[in-house]
Amino acid sequence: MPGFPRIPGYELSSEPTLASEWAAPARAYPGDLWPAELLRRVRPDPSDWLIVEEHFHRDDQYGGTHSIMIDPTAREAVLDDTRWSGHHSVGSVEVWADGRFTDGLVAGPNPVQPSMYFFTAVREHHRLVDPSFEITPVFLWYWDAFQTGGGWSYLNAAGRDVELIRTTIGAESWKVEIAALELRTFLAEAGRELLVQMDYTTLKEHPSFDRVDHRFHSGGARFDWFALHDDSIGGHPAFSNLMGKFVIAGSITSRRRRIDERTEPKKYGEYIYGLDSETGHPLTHTSDPSQLGDIRDSTRLPGLTPVYFSREVLARYTAEPRRYSLSSSRLACLDLWGLDISTNTAGLIEVYLEEIGSLPTGEQAHWLAHNVLPAGEMDEGRFRRDFLNQIVASPDPQGDLRRCRMRAADATRVLLGAAVWRSLDAQTSAEFEHLYGPTSTDPSALTAPILTLTKALVDGIDSSPLKAFLGGAEAGEQSLGLLDRFVQKIGGSADCVEPFRALQKFRSTGGIAHLGGSSAEAARSRLGIEGLAPFPAFVVVVEQLTVALERIIELVEGVANEAK
């Protein structure tokens, strides 16, 4: 309809389907026996999801779909009739009387040049267990696919999951769908076509009518349909049957393998790198390395020009620590791509223009959405390393805290025979190891980091070695009380434990979400973060905990050295 937008799930598709090419016969029969919905599934060039295997049995309909691959030269032969091709030869092992062995992977009139190939199958196991789905491994190998829940996915060049196969398998019914664009690309590369074969029966209650037969035959499909009324059938004497098959040819689509994506021409984003003081408009430049200069070419913008991004750009990466590794100086996605980063004095993420251009095309759109005008100054450590060739570290508060916790565990183990900060459980360990801090300015962004710090630094205290050293615990004394007495006994003060107490109080008062009233405000003040945005507040807390651990380490190591 002109001027009407396409709404997924509600649009009238303009794509050719068998329903639009094969009109229902003009005869007297129940109209709802005509399989219009099934015919809409028959498309020569599918672009979304294609059902390749199906089986079900309902009161009003039953039947299924099965698919095999064919050689393009065999298309005319397999479409000679509507009977399913390869039904007893593809996907079935046979040992013949003369000793011949057929593996079910290929079939055809000429064994030397097979014309049919196994693609998918769902095998039943006499109802002992649920049916099992199988697909030719070549398809999975081509996409470097891996299992995800009820199906398979693959990684694109940006390192993101792309759904490839969906399966719903049960004892009584099943359905398998494959991403059509990926399928067509694979078929084109393999030099084969997919033969999708369908057989469905529809049943209705209706008065008697004369049998109706209807046929369709084209260069890419062949179907037979009939409808009749049979009084000998109880319940639903009126029924129809659709049986036939259609071919999907291969074509190179927009869906490409990861390795092929990398070799395709890249689209480079235009990033803000400065401000035109005269007009007040942002200055932008492409990240295409061929359009950037270096120390030998001053006629073009240097590739080491920093561009800046709001901290929110990192949110998608901190949310998936198994896929992305993130430190104060580098972001990496598995072994697919990496990017050197730093945080400047304004809390912005800074990246060099030539390096942002190395990101996969699909990933650059995400960074462009968070590109902002420069503000603040470059991290001094990075400036000295990259431009003065000096060996200087950059601030790494999270890394400093993790290293201090390990040193504190080692030091107390030497003195007490067991570590006061015990090994963390797998989940908490992963959270603490990948702790990066808030990636937005919303107050709730501080919630998860504070909880992780509390679990690692307060809940992670083992009271047993403290009790053994102190001769037991006092009535109602918890881990922080024991730590406090321990520190004072070895010459320290309560100040060493105060950051841990403040952290625990902050968690217990609900101060994380800024919903705890006056008690939460007092807890934030005690922690030293009242009025601070989430990330600066996080840094303050981390640095306080690090200093406290360093003081405890110094005390413990001093006592241990004296005891030698």
Side-chain angles (χ1 to χ4, degrees):
M1 182 183 299
F4 195 82
R6 180 178 180 182
I7 310 298
Y10 296 92
E11 74 275 11
L12 296 175
S13 175
S14 59
E15 296 180 8
T17 70
L18 191 53
S20 61
E21 294 187 26
W22 189 19
R27 297 279 298 278
Y29 65 92
D32 49 8
L33 287 179
W34 178 247
E37 189 63 34
L38 291 171
L39 298 182
R40 278 193 281 271
R41 283 169 37 177
V42 182
R43 290 174 291 169
D45 302 311
S47 59
D48 46 15
W49 288 91
L50 175 71
I51 298 175
V52 294
E53 296 289 335
E54 185 175 48
H55 167 77
F56 64 87
H57 198 298
R58 303 194 310 256
D59 289 342
D60 64 331
Q61 192 177 66
Y62 62 86
T65 292
H66 176 59
S67 302
I68 63 172
M69 288 187 296
I70 63 170
D71 189 279
T73 60
R75 180 191 289 201
E76 184 176 352
V78 298
L79 294 180
D80 188 54
D81 57 46
T82 58
R83 291 175 300 173
W84 282 15
S85 301
H87 192 48
H88 299 292
S89 55
V90 178
S92 177
V93 170
E94 293 288 348
V95 180
W96 303 88
D98 60 3
R100 286 180 298 121
F101 179 90
T102 56
D103 58 16
L105 297 176
V106 297
N110 184 353
V112 179
Q113 292 183 313
S115 57
M116 294 182 287
Y117 310 86
F118 174 80
F119 186 60
T120 56
V122 175
R123 293 192 300 117
E124 297 183 88
H125 307 285
H126 309 285
R127 297 184 179 275
L128 177 65
V129 295
D130 283 348
S132 55
F133 167 66
E134 297 165 344
I135 185 169
T136 176
V138 178
F139 182 70
L140 302 178
W141 296 341
Y142 178 82
W143 289 106
D144 191 22
F146 51 91
Q147 282 193 278
T148 51
W152 276 261
S153 298
Y154 67 93
L155 294 175
N156 62 15
R160 305 197 180 282
D161 293 4
V162 181
E163 199 174 11
L164 184 64
I165 302 173
R166 298 172 178 171
T167 66
T168 305
I169 309 291
E172 304 296 334
S173 63
W174 57 77
K175 181 165 71 172
V176 177
E177 299 173 276
I178 290 183
L181 294 180
E182 281 83 352
L183 171 66
R184 290 165 58 190
T185 295
F186 165 76
L187 292 172
E189 297 276 31
R192 295 175 184 171
E193 297 180 332
L194 190 72
L195 183 67
V196 183
Q197 310 183 97
M198 303 171 66
D199 185 358
Y200 292 91
T201 297
T202 303
L203 306 97
K204 299 292 180 182
E205 294 184 23
H206 200 276
S208 179
F209 61 92
D210 293 334
R211 176 181 174 122
V212 181
D213 287 275
H214 204 34
R215 293 181 175 176
F216 179 88
H217 190 191
S218 70
R222 182 160 192 153
F223 283 88
D224 287 342
W225 175 85
F226 71 83
L228 60 81
H229 189 282
D230 188 343
D231 288 325
S232 66
I233 301 176
H236 299 88
F239 70 94
S240 67
N241 175 263
L242 175 73
M243 186 168 185
K245 43 198 171 183
F246 67 101
V247 172
I248 296 175
S251 63
I252 301 299
T253 72
S254 60
R255 295 301 175 90
R256 305 284 282 153
R257 291 190 302 167
R258 189 168 59 249
I259 189 173
D260 297 323
E261 280 189 75
R262 292 172 177 169
T263 60
E264 292 177 346
K266 181 183 289 187
K267 296 179 181 178
Y268 294 94
E270 291 267 345
Y271 292 88
I272 298 170
Y273 70 90
L275 182 71
D276 187 325
S277 59
E278 183 177 342
T279 65
H281 293 161
L283 297 172
T284 63
H285 197 282
T286 179
S287 58
D288 183 350
S290 67
Q291 302 299 314
L292 295 170
D294 53 28
I295 58 174
R296 295 179 298 275
D297 181 5
S298 60
T299 64
R300 294 182 290 182
L301 188 70
L304 292 181
T305 298
V307 287
Y308 294 87
F309 305 87
S310 62
R311 192 171 175 80
E312 285 83 351
V313 74
L314 301 178
R316 77 189 308 172
Y317 308 117
T318 58
E320 295 188 77
R322 291 183 59 193
R323 187 187 308 269
Y324 302 103
S325 60
L326 181 62
S327 70
S328 60
S329 60
R330 187 159 179 82
L331 165 67
C333 176
L334 304 173
D335 57 354
L336 300 178
W337 56 263
L339 190 66
D340 289 337
I341 64 172
S342 56
T343 301
N344 77 349
T345 59
L348 299 178
I349 305 302
E350 51 192 359
V351 182
Y352 294 132
L353 187 57
E354 65 181 10
E355 292 190 4
I356 199 72
S358 69
L359 287 176
T361 300
E363 200 67 19
Q364 290 200 42
H366 170 70
W367 285 78
L368 275 168
H370 296 85
N371 187 203
V372 296
L373 284 167
E377 299 176 0
M378 176 176 277
D379 163 43
E380 182 180 353
R382 186 172 196 182
F383 173 75
R384 289 178 176 277
R385 288 192 305 274
D386 294 350
F387 296 97
L388 303 181
N389 199 28
Q390 297 176 355
I391 301 176
V392 181
S394 291
D396 182 17
Q398 304 96 295
D400 292 341
L401 179 61
R402 282 191 288 267
R403 288 183 285 272
C404 264
R405 189 186 188 279
M406 292 177 61
R407 288 174 52 214
D410 292 340
T412 52
R413 186 182 296 108
V414 171
L415 179 64
L416 306 177
V420 169
W421 281 274
R422 60 173 173 260
S423 298
L424 301 172
D425 62 81
Q427 180 175 341
T428 304
S429 177
E431 292 172 359
F432 188 57
E433 184 64 29
H434 295 95
L435 182 64
Y436 193 76
T439 53
S440 86
T441 56
D442 190 292
S444 64
L446 194 56
T447 300
I450 286 293
L451 288 176
T452 298
L453 289 172
T454 311
K455 287 190 290 184
L457 277 305
V458 178
D459 300 345
I461 294 175
D462 186 353
S463 299
S464 299
L466 295 174
K467 290 178 182 178
F469 182 82
L470 296 170
E474 298 177 354
E477 192 174 33
Q478 302 298 317
S479 60
L480 289 180
L482 288 164
L483 181 63
D484 198 340
R485 281 208 294 137
F486 167 71
V487 168
Q488 294 192 52
K489 187 169 182 177
I490 61 175
S493 67
D495 291 346
C496 296
V497 184
E498 171 56 22
F500 303 99
R501 290 191 181 277
L503 180 65
Q504 172 75 343
K505 185 66 175 178
F506 183 67
R507 176 178 66 172
S508 64
T509 57
I512 295 171
H514 286 208
L515 297 175
S518 59
S519 61
E521 182 178 341
R524 292 194 295 274
S525 296
R526 180 177 180 179
L527 203 52
I529 61 172
E530 179 63 24
L532 294 181
F535 182 67
F538 169 77
V539 173
V540 166
V541 173
V542 168
E543 289 177 344
Q544 289 181 9
L545 292 168
T546 302
V547 170
L549 283 173
E550 288 175 338
R551 293 172 67 185
I552 292 173
I553 292 168
E554 184 178 357
L555 290 168
V556 171
E557 290 179 341
V559 173
N561 290 333
E562 290 177 1
K564 289 181 179 180

